[in-house]
Amino acid sequence: MYNFFYLEGAYLILGAFALLITLFVTTRPFMSKGAVKKGLFWVSSVIAVMVAAHYTITSNRMTEVASAFDQDKIIICESRATRKVAQTVLIQKSNEWLLKDNNFISPNFSRPFFIARCIVK
């Protein structure tokens, strides 16, 4: 459950904001009588589907990256430290990398790399 809120927390906040906007718009005098129920139902349904799909895709990719790392395949991770050059880091188990708590850690790098921001090469 922690992983869900960690991965989807920002999207849940954006979804709540979209629901508040929907509630505000559908309660205006120019809207029809059933607009509040219909609006909240459809907007919350779309948000729920989108958040669930994003979580499923991300968690599947995390599983794929973890199994590829165990097989000593090359993993490409996004580096947010440098934005102009070398925006990616190549990670491989045989190059002193460890996978600990969904983070790739190496003694050669000062910061860890979260597994959800990585793909298999």
Side-chain angles (χ1 to χ4, degrees):
M1 196 59 150
Y2 169 77
N3 242 0
F4 176 77
F5 287 113
Y6 186 74
L7 293 172
E8 304 301 321
Y11 299 114
L12 292 173
I13 292 169
L14 288 172
F17 185 67
L19 285 172
L20 287 174
I21 291 171
T22 303
L23 184 64
F24 177 77
V25 171
T26 56
T27 56
R28 300 299 95 199
F30 57 84
M31 295 298 288
S32 65
K33 219 170 194 182
V36 176
K37 288 181 185 178
K38 289 178 189 175
L40 290 178
F41 172 76
W42 286 109
V43 171
S44 61
S45 297
V46 167
I47 290 169
V49 167
M50 291 172 70
V51 166
H54 182 264
Y55 178 72
T56 303
I57 291 167
T58 303
S59 59
N60 288 342
R61 186 177 65 246
M62 288 171 61
T63 304
E64 178 187 350
V65 167
S67 65
F69 180 74
D70 288 337
Q71 297 170 8
D72 201 30
K73 293 183 179 178
I74 297 174
I75 309 297
I76 302 172
C77 286
E78 174 187 26
S79 176
R80 293 184 176 184
T82 308
R83 281 295 191 192
K84 296 186 182 191
V85 188
Q87 291 182 336
T88 59
V89 174
L90 300 179
I91 293 175
Q92 197 169 12
K93 192 173 191 176
S94 59
N95 290 338
E96 300 179 1
W97 284 94
L98 299 171
L99 180 59
K100 183 178 179 184
D101 298 328
N102 290 329
N103 288 303
F104 289 115
I105 301 170
S106 173
N108 302 324
F109 280 85
S110 60
R111 60 180 291 276
F113 295 93
F114 187 55
I115 194 170
R117 306 284 180 251
C118 303
I119 58 170
V120 180
K121 184 174 182 182

